[in-house]
Amino acid sequence: MSVSIKMLINLFMLLMAAICVQTSVIPERQWQREEGKEASPAVLTEIITPLQIAGNHIYYGSLVMDLPEGVNVVCQDKKAGEQHVGIVADLEGLGDRPLAPRIWLTHYRMACEGEWAMANALLTLLPDTTLRFVYRNSDEKINLFRYTNGEKNGYILNREDDIYIVEELSDESCYGFGRLIDDKVICWNDGTEIGSRYNYTWITFFDRLCVGEETFLTVRYTQEDGKRWLALVREADLDRRCSGDEAIAYQRIGIPQIERASDEQITYRDYNFDGFLDIKVSPDVLYLWDPDEKKYKKA
């Protein structure tokens, strides 16, 4: 077979794979919490998305992975407790380890706008999790979050209303999916990069906090003047948030400046045993919830 014919066959395979990805994505269901309540105010809809393979090109919705030669993707059966996972796959041949690194992929679509509303919906989906915002491309509406969930690292890849959640074992991040991000072999289907999983210039964390009848999205960020803040935003106010607008913050609490993300230790716990979560921003600074004024006050 001539070289030109081989090239035409390869191009045809890539074209068919891309078409399959675009035409076989079927809405499955709105994600619901375990207690049966829908994520609010943003609605995440889980999308059944096939994993398409054409040579060393892997397509998952709008994501494209250009795997190194000799690496094969082998899909595995989902186990109990993985009912909200779309695809479970092993990357055989990736990394010099006895076991192939495993990844868990899920595709969602979001009916809202704004990073804060999206973060709140994701934290409803991922309870007891802290999201770290590590990359933004405002022009392309691309965002990248990271989190840790037990023995897994999680990556949330977002572009416009598409959200992809990819998890890997933390021990495999140096040669698994995290390494693929570092090597920039993962991109969006138009070639735009998904971003970096590391960010040392600005540090932003999102948490979800339920205090009495109130539910807050908490945002830890650094202002332009270098001051660091923890902003509490009521869940009901999230749909009014515009980019760069801090006016809807229900309360802002000053927190110590940090140089590294690992330096910050914010804890939410009922320190005075009154049934409400309090906030410890440093070893010697504690804010207690005042149920009458519905605000945090320095102890």
Side-chain angles (χ1 to χ4, degrees):
M1 185 180 298
S2 67
V3 175
S4 59
I5 294 177
K6 288 182 178 180
M7 290 179 63
L8 287 173
I9 292 175
N10 288 334
L11 288 172
F12 177 76
M13 290 176 62
L14 291 174
L15 177 62
M16 292 302 296
I19 292 173
C20 288
V21 169
Q22 296 300 320
T23 58
S24 57
V25 176
I26 304 170
E28 182 182 24
R29 61 182 180 274
Q30 285 187 354
W31 179 84
Q32 295 183 337
R33 307 187 217 179
E34 291 182 0
E35 64 269 26
K37 296 180 181 179
E38 293 180 3
S40 175
V43 177
L44 295 179
T45 302
E46 186 178 343
I47 308 297
I48 298 177
T49 305
L51 196 69
Q52 302 289 338
I53 303 172
N56 65 327
H57 298 280
I58 310 301
Y59 300 88
Y60 186 67
S62 297
L63 292 178
V64 181
M65 289 180 274
D66 188 7
L67 298 178
E69 292 292 337
V71 177
N72 297 313
V73 178
V74 180
C75 293
Q76 304 291 343
D77 294 332
K78 288 182 282 188
K79 298 179 180 178
E82 296 179 341
Q83 67 271 22
H84 291 303
V85 175
I87 298 289
V88 181
D90 289 344
L91 305 176
E92 293 189 348
L94 184 65
D96 185 18
R97 300 295 192 280
L99 296 177
R102 177 164 293 185
I103 57 174
W104 292 260
L105 305 98
T106 318
H107 182 194
Y108 292 93
R109 196 150 288 147
M110 175 182 59
C112 75
E113 291 186 2
E115 293 89 350
W116 288 16
M118 175 174 59
N120 185 66
L122 289 168
L123 288 168
T124 308
L125 179 68
L126 303 164
D128 303 318
T129 301
T130 296
L131 297 182
R132 183 180 174 190
F133 199 14
V134 292
Y135 180 82
R136 172 193 287 144
N137 182 335
S138 299
D139 293 336
E140 297 291 341
K141 297 183 179 180
I142 292 173
N143 300 293
L144 177 60
F145 298 83
R146 290 182 61 180
Y147 65 90
T148 301
N149 183 9
E151 62 182 5
K152 293 180 181 178
N153 287 343
Y155 306 93
I156 299 173
L157 287 60
N158 161 242
R159 189 174 195 182
E160 296 184 340
D161 61 350
D162 268 330
I163 295 176
Y164 300 88
I165 299 179
V166 185
E167 291 187 330
E168 66 179 354
L169 293 176
S170 300
D171 293 341
E172 298 176 348
S173 64
C174 62
Y175 64 94
F177 188 81
R179 181 59 181 270
L180 295 179
I181 296 177
D182 296 343
D183 292 342
K184 299 187 182 302
V185 299
I186 305 170
C187 64
W188 298 100
N189 56 8
D190 63 354
T192 305
E193 68 173 274
I194 63 167
S196 170
R197 61 173 173 159
Y198 298 108
N199 167 36
Y200 302 107
T201 57
W202 46 273
I203 303 170
T204 304
F205 292 105
F206 293 94
D207 293 282
R208 195 167 184 271
L209 187 62
C210 296
V211 188
E213 297 179 354
E214 296 285 356
T215 299
F216 297 102
L217 174 71
T218 69
V219 189
R220 291 178 261 163
Y221 67 98
T222 305
Q223 216 168 24
E224 290 183 1
D225 59 6
K227 292 183 179 179
R228 192 148 175 80
W229 296 93
L230 186 151
L232 283 76
V233 184
R234 293 197 313 163
E235 186 176 64
D237 295 333
L238 283 168
D239 58 350
R240 297 193 293 107
R241 203 255 179 190
C242 297
S243 178
D245 180 15
E246 300 172 8
I248 68 163
Y250 181 82
Q251 183 178 2
R252 292 204 306 163
I253 297 173
I255 56 179
Q257 295 184 12
I258 57 174
E259 294 183 2
R260 299 180 300 271
S262 58
D263 293 338
E264 188 164 86
Q265 302 296 326
I266 305 288
T267 56
Y268 306 95
R269 190 180 303 167
D270 183 5
Y271 286 96
N272 59 350
F273 307 104
D274 64 350
F276 300 100
L277 290 176
D278 307 305
I279 304 175
K280 195 170 188 178
V281 301
S282 71
D284 55 353
V285 179
L286 175 66
Y287 284 83
L288 301 176
W289 178 256
D290 186 327
D292 295 324
E293 295 190 16
K294 295 186 177 181
K295 295 271 188 176
Y296 279 99
K297 293 186 176 181
K298 192 173 181 179

